[in-house]
Amino acid sequence: MKKLLLIVLCFILPPLAVFLHEGLTRKVLWALLWQLLGHVPGVIYGLLVVTKDPAK
């Protein structure tokens, strides 16, 4: 259920979704940069980070 909420949040505010999933890491800064470059790249990056397999 948590992952579903993070996916929905990716469509609204990707850097916040990445922050809630990863904590304060460089990935949050990347998500913010992609978000500033355009909403769609930010959403794509957020979805990639939130849905990736943690075993890899």
Side-chain angles (χ1 to χ4, degrees):
M1 187 67 171
K2 179 182 175 186
K3 188 173 270 195
L4 179 63
L5 292 174
L6 287 174
I7 290 170
V8 171
L9 188 58
C10 278
F11 287 100
I12 300 167
L13 196 56
L16 181 60
V18 173
F19 173 73
L20 292 174
H21 184 260
E22 295 281 329
L24 190 57
T25 62
R26 287 187 187 195
K27 292 180 181 181
V28 176
L29 295 176
W30 277 109
L32 183 61
L33 175 69
W34 285 114
Q35 182 69 23
L36 291 174
L37 291 174
H39 183 70
V40 174
V43 170
I44 292 170
Y45 181 75
L47 287 172
L48 287 174
V49 170
V50 168
T51 60
K52 75 173 185 172
D53 187 17
K56 291 183 179 179

